[in-house]
Amino acid sequence: YVVVRDTLRGQIDASLRRVPAPMLAERFTMRIREPGTQVQNEPLERPAVFSQLVEGDRLIAPGGEERHRLGDPEVVEAVADGERDAFFSDEDVDGTHVRVYTRRAGPGVALQLARPLTEVDSALSDLRLGLGLVSIAGIALAAFLGRLATRHAVRPVTDLTESAEHVARTRDLSHRIETSGGDELARLAASFNTMLEALGDSQQAQRRLVADASHELRTPLTSLRTNLEVLGSPRELAPADRERLRADLVAQLEELSELVADLVELARDGE
């Protein structure tokens, strides 16, 4: 948009800059000196809104054109006196946006040439609308494609999240995530599978430990119960039998204590 705007306005500026100021100044002077002389408004590259000479406070326009005070009078006077270079400015003439070129036409005289910017403004307005529509369509397309790309890119993360939630909800340590490729997400999925496998092995070891401990504890506990039932029976026992049962109870209690100590030691090693 900026390039097109500068190009169009540059063409307007170039057309105003090419108008021969000495010829216009001469014809303005002829009109002033010879009132009966018909002066044609020389082209401002087909056509200009108007052209006029500025000499101090006087405005001189050919062919009876309406005269307009354009620009800062002090700046225009500085151009007429040769104290400032020619310049371009945008002005509004009777509701029309025009481009004005102010240049020196002689000692103390400035020439102002103007061309409408109606067509340029219209073209730029259409261009703004077109670029706006294209931008909106481009943003919508980019958002759509970005959403597709993001969905595809984060799919492994979604699968990993769903798998973690499934394991946390069902306690199913046999679940695994399918991995492919060698990117960071694939490595993360492989690590997650390794962690599940390690947890599964730990769970199996824990179950075996509980089964073995139950089996090992069942024997001394059963013997203790039997001996206690014998001791608690109403029939009289010989002192030798009673002493033998007491010794068996002590031995079984010691065995049970050793088993409990072993279990505690295994639990500490697993921490």
Side-chain angles (χ1 to χ4, degrees), residues 16 19 24 28 41-44 47-54 59-62 64-71 91-94 96 98-101 111-116:
L16 293 174
V19 176
L24 284 176
F28 275 107
N41 185 17
E42 280 300 317
L44 304 179
V49 174
F50 60 83
S51 58
Q52 66 182 13
L53 289 176
V54 181
L59 301 178
I60 306 169
E65 291 180 353
E66 184 179 358
R67 292 164 291 180
H68 300 268
R69 175 67 68 179
L70 301 175
E91 302 290 343
D92 186 83
V93 177
D94 296 334
T96 301
V98 298
R99 186 70 166 168
V100 179
Y101 180 47
L111 173 65
Q112 290 184 317
L113 309 171
R115 258 191 87 163

Side-chain angles (χ1 to χ4, degrees), residues 13-267:
D13 293 350
S15 68
L16 293 174
R17 195 181 286 110
R18 286 195 297 267
V19 176
M23 180 177 65
L24 284 176
E26 180 182 354
R27 296 199 176 186
F28 275 107
T29 305
M30 288 174 56
R31 178 181 179 279
I32 296 171
R33 293 178 179 176
E34 303 174 19
T37 303
Q38 295 296 324
V39 180
Q40 298 295 330
N41 185 17
E42 280 300 317
L44 304 179
E45 292 297 312
R46 305 281 190 267
V49 174
F50 60 83
S51 58
Q52 66 182 13
L53 289 176
V54 181
E55 186 176 7
D57 294 333
R58 292 198 307 159
L59 301 178
I60 306 169
E65 291 180 353
E66 184 179 358
R67 292 164 291 180
H68 300 268
R69 175 67 68 179
L70 301 175
D72 188 346
E74 295 183 358
V75 177
V76 175
E77 184 178 356
V79 172
D81 294 336
E83 298 175 357
R84 178 178 175 140
D85 295 334
F87 68 95
F88 289 94
S89 61
D90 287 2
E91 302 290 343
D92 186 83
V93 177
D94 296 334
T96 301
H97 185 205
V98 298
R99 186 70 166 168
V100 179
Y101 180 47
T102 303
R103 60 192 290 185
R104 192 183 188 204
V109 180
L111 173 65
Q112 290 184 317
L113 309 171
R115 258 191 87 163
L117 293 175
T118 305
E119 294 181 357
V120 173
D121 292 341
S122 177
L124 293 178
S125 177
D126 293 340
L127 181 61
R128 284 195 298 271
L129 177 61
L131 289 177
L133 294 177
V134 170
S135 299
I136 293 174
I139 292 173
L141 179 61
F144 175 73
L145 295 178
R147 185 175 181 84
L148 288 181
T150 302
R151 181 178 300 176
H152 177 73
V154 302
R155 184 61 189 175
V157 178
T158 303
D159 293 341
L160 183 60
T161 303
E162 292 176 352
S163 298
E165 292 175 348
H166 172 77
V167 172
R169 183 174 61 255
T170 63
R171 306 292 181 178
D172 180 15
L173 299 179
S174 64
H175 183 77
R176 297 292 184 270
I177 301 175
E178 296 183 2
T179 60
S180 61
D183 56 4
E184 294 297 328
L185 292 177
R187 293 176 56 189
L188 180 61
S191 299
F192 186 78
N193 290 336
T194 303
M195 180 189 67
L196 290 179
E197 184 177 356
L199 287 175
D201 294 341
S202 176
Q203 187 180 63
Q204 292 297 327
Q206 183 182 18
R207 289 175 179 174
R208 287 194 301 269
L209 176 63
V210 172
D212 294 342
S214 299
H215 177 72
E216 294 294 334
L217 290 173
R218 187 178 295 114
T219 301
L221 286 175
T222 302
S223 180
L224 279 173
R225 180 178 180 180
T226 302
N227 290 333
L228 288 174
E229 288 177 351
V230 171
L231 287 175
S233 64
R235 65 189 182 93
E236 291 292 332
L237 293 175
D241 292 336
R242 184 177 294 276
E243 181 62 24
R244 181 173 56 82
L245 287 176
R246 188 192 66 79
D248 287 343
L249 287 174
V250 172
Q252 290 163 0
L253 287 173
E254 290 178 354
E255 182 181 358
L256 187 61
S257 299
E258 291 178 357
L259 287 175
V260 172
D262 291 340
L263 289 176
V264 173
E265 188 66 24
L266 287 174

